[in-house]
Amino acid sequence: MNLEHSEDGIVQRVRAMNERVVSFQEQGLYFYNQAVSELRGGARVLVNGREMGMFASYSYLGLIGHKRINKAAIEAIERYGTGTHGVRTLAGTLTIHRQLEETIAEFKGAEDAVTYTSGYATNLTVVSTLLGRNDYVISDKLNHASIVDGCLMSGAKFLRFKHNDMNSLEERLKSVPQGATKLVIADSVFSMDGDIIDFPRMVALCQKYQAWLMIDEAHSVGVLGKRGTGIEEHFNMPGTIDFKMGTLSKTIPSVGGYVAGKKELIRYLRHASRAYIFSAALPPAQAAAANEAFKVILDEPWRVEKLGANARQFIHGLRNRGFNTLKTETAIVPVVCGTDEAAFAMTQAAQRQDVFVLPVVSPAVPPGLSRLRATVTAAHEPAEIEHAMNVIEAAGRKIGLLDGRV
Ligand SMILES: *Cc1c(COP(=O)(O)O)cnc(C)c1O
């Protein structure tokens, strides 16, 4: 296909994206895919040959590089090799997969769990396996893209409610015909805003309207609850979620996704979900790393506590400096900049002072709410957080954000 042919839809979309990217690259405002070349311990990394403080990490408990977890991965390679013999249902299941699923089930206070090779694939396959054309799925407007894609793929009637608005959820529930199958689905902690779902009211509504409940705990495992086990612990409401979904790539320093729940539900998913049946099993090193990480979280509860203290310091410090951080209560701290250009300029100014933050712009967030999406972890020390906030404050003054010039 000739890329000069201008009527073609693919050509036009490819060209528009390429022009946008090249224009940002030329202005030095392109922050996509900057490679980290080395981990320097704690929350410091080497990027473009410079050591920076990492303030864009999902490794909330600072477990990347943890000795026990590395050791478990290395031992798994020595025992099983680097790959599996195929998909789980054929020759791909290893004892480490069963151990990991038992560990997850125990950690999540569930009867059983099933793992997949990514969190994205988990949401796609679980929602589309559970629901079909005659069913209803009711989803928060700010839910993660993988949930949205799973809802669309299922072919179910797709209803969305206003972000974290339980009155809006109730209206949607009321609109579903009597007797129809319905699944309510939401992030526990929202990945762009850092706020927590109104879980107690959501659970009560699901019970009142006889709806299934699925919660995506990508940003709450290791973060919420005194032991870091997630949103049920945080609200002291054990056993209230039907499908407890999570990823193995954030707090858990590996890759993969899982769902935990009642054993009949998990058995069903194991025999019916296409990402389990038609996609390769998790590699042994990643399964072993994940398995060990859940144990480390329980063995080192100081990490969860320190993350909470660090998040409070970061949120209050940025608010006191005059930034709009929306309604975050967690380690994800949006610093609203307004325009895409302002978010890029803030990123550039912060990175020049060796504070690694990243911008999030539309369409990932609504126009006008472009931001730095900064995160803290348990690996940060209070002085490092103070320093990063001073750098972000200086950036905000430099580009005119703090005195209202942009
Ligand atoms: C990251 C994320 C996912 C996807 O998980 P991966 O393991 O990275 O594929 C799903 N849901 C939410 C809310 C996430 O933040």
Side-chain angles (χ1 to χ4, degrees):
M1 180 66 85
N2 182 356
L3 276 177
E4 301 306 310
H5 184 260
S6 66
E7 302 300 308
D8 180 81
I10 294 179
V11 169
Q12 290 186 2
R13 289 190 286 274
V14 168
R15 186 186 295 145
M17 183 63 82
N18 273 272
E19 281 171 4
R20 193 163 177 229
V21 168
V22 169
S23 144
F24 283 122
Q25 282 171 337
E26 283 170 358
Q27 298 169 67
L29 296 177
Y30 186 71
F31 304 102
Y32 217 62
N33 289 346
Q34 294 176 88
V36 170
S37 56
E38 219 178 286
L39 201 60
R40 286 268 167 106
R44 303 197 69 77
V45 291
L46 201 63
V47 183
N48 302 325
R50 279 164 51 190
E51 189 172 305
M52 297 202 191
M54 170 55 93
F55 285 84
S57 174
Y58 287 135
S59 182
Y60 295 118
L61 295 181
L63 295 181
I64 293 186
H66 193 290
K67 286 218 163 53
R68 248 176 83 183
I69 299 171
N70 284 2
K71 188 161 168 275
I74 291 163
E75 282 173 8
I77 290 180
E78 282 165 355
R79 179 163 174 184
Y80 302 102
T82 54
T84 61
H85 303 275
V87 299
R88 286 290 298 275
T89 49
L90 298 175
T93 295
L94 306 171
T95 48
I96 188 65
H97 293 124
R98 287 306 304 150
Q99 285 164 9
L100 170 62
E101 286 165 348
E102 280 165 24
T103 299
I104 293 171
E106 200 177 312
F107 186 90
K108 295 303 299 170
E111 290 175 4
D112 200 359
V114 54
T115 53
Y116 300 90
T117 34
S118 85
Y120 180 86
T122 304
N123 277 330
L124 274 194
T125 207
V126 171
V127 179
S128 64
T129 302
L130 293 174
L131 300 176
R133 277 201 313 180
N134 298 322
D135 305 325
Y136 287 75
V137 60
I138 311 178
S139 166
D140 186 286
K141 273 205 168 157
L142 292 191
N143 275 348
H144 191 262
S146 55
I147 297 178
V148 175
D149 292 357
C151 295
L152 295 173
M153 189 173 157
S154 74
K157 290 173 193 77
F158 184 23
L159 309 179
R160 299 195 308 162
F161 60 94
K162 282 191 205 138
H163 173 51
N164 213 356
D165 180 334
M166 294 304 122
N167 295 331
S168 174
L169 171 60
E170 183 156 25
E171 277 172 31
R172 296 289 175 277
L173 282 164
K174 271 186 189 153
S175 76
V176 175
Q178 277 279 321
T181 296
K182 46 199 176 296
L183 174 73
V184 170
I185 184 163
D187 289 13
S188 49
V189 170
F190 286 86
S191 53
M192 294 298 152
D193 289 22
D195 53 338
I196 303 172
I197 192 78
D198 184 351
F199 187 66
R201 282 198 64 201
M202 179 168 262
V203 168
L205 286 172
C206 287
Q207 285 165 357
K208 181 172 170 190
Y209 291 91
Q210 292 285 298
W212 293 91
L213 178 60
M214 175 162 166
I215 297 286
D216 177 335
E217 298 221 60
H219 301 282
S220 55
V221 163
V223 177
L224 294 186
K226 202 163 161 30
R227 296 183 309 138
T229 68
I231 196 159
E232 288 184 343
E233 186 189 5
H234 178 77
F235 286 104
N236 194 19
M237 297 171 67
T240 39
I241 302 171
D242 298 304
F243 299 97
K244 307 172 201 230
M245 180 272 166
T247 169
L248 303 176
S249 69
K250 289 181 173 128
T251 293
I252 305 298
S254 183
V255 73
Y258 64 84
V259 182
K262 290 219 164 72
K263 67 176 187 299
E264 293 83 357
L265 299 176
I266 301 306
R267 188 182 292 138
Y268 173 68
L269 289 172
R270 219 183 270 290
H271 289 87
S273 55
R274 292 165 78 85
Y276 192 85
I277 301 168
F278 296 109
S279 187
L282 275 176
Q286 299 317 119
N291 184 51
E292 198 65 18
F294 283 102
K295 297 178 178 178
V296 169
I297 296 174
L298 298 178
D299 288 346
E300 299 180 4
W302 61 266
R303 291 178 182 273
V304 179
E305 199 174 317
K306 188 171 170 200
L307 175 66
N310 285 353
R312 284 190 291 279
Q313 181 191 353
F314 200 46
I315 295 167
H316 294 144
L318 288 168
R319 281 188 187 146
N320 290 340
R321 285 169 171 81
F323 290 107
N324 174 6
T325 57
L326 302 176
K327 291 181 183 166
T328 181
E329 296 179 63
T330 64
I332 299 170
V333 185
V335 178
V336 174
C337 303
T339 62
D340 293 2
E341 286 69 22
F344 290 138
M346 282 288 285
T347 304
Q348 185 182 51
Q351 288 199 7
R352 281 187 176 157
Q353 299 301 315
D354 297 331
V355 170
F356 191 80
V357 285
L358 289 172
V360 181
V361 300
S362 60
V365 292
L369 284 177
S370 291
R371 63 194 67 176
L372 300 183
R373 185 184 161 289
T375 54
V376 274
T377 74
H380 290 112
E381 294 307 327
E384 289 179 291
I385 297 172
E386 212 59 32
H387 171 70
M389 293 193 295
N390 290 339
V391 166
I392 294 170
E393 179 179 9
R397 294 207 185 286
K398 179 168 171 237
I399 75 150
L401 179 64
L402 279 176
D403 45 28
R405 282 185 287 128
V406 295

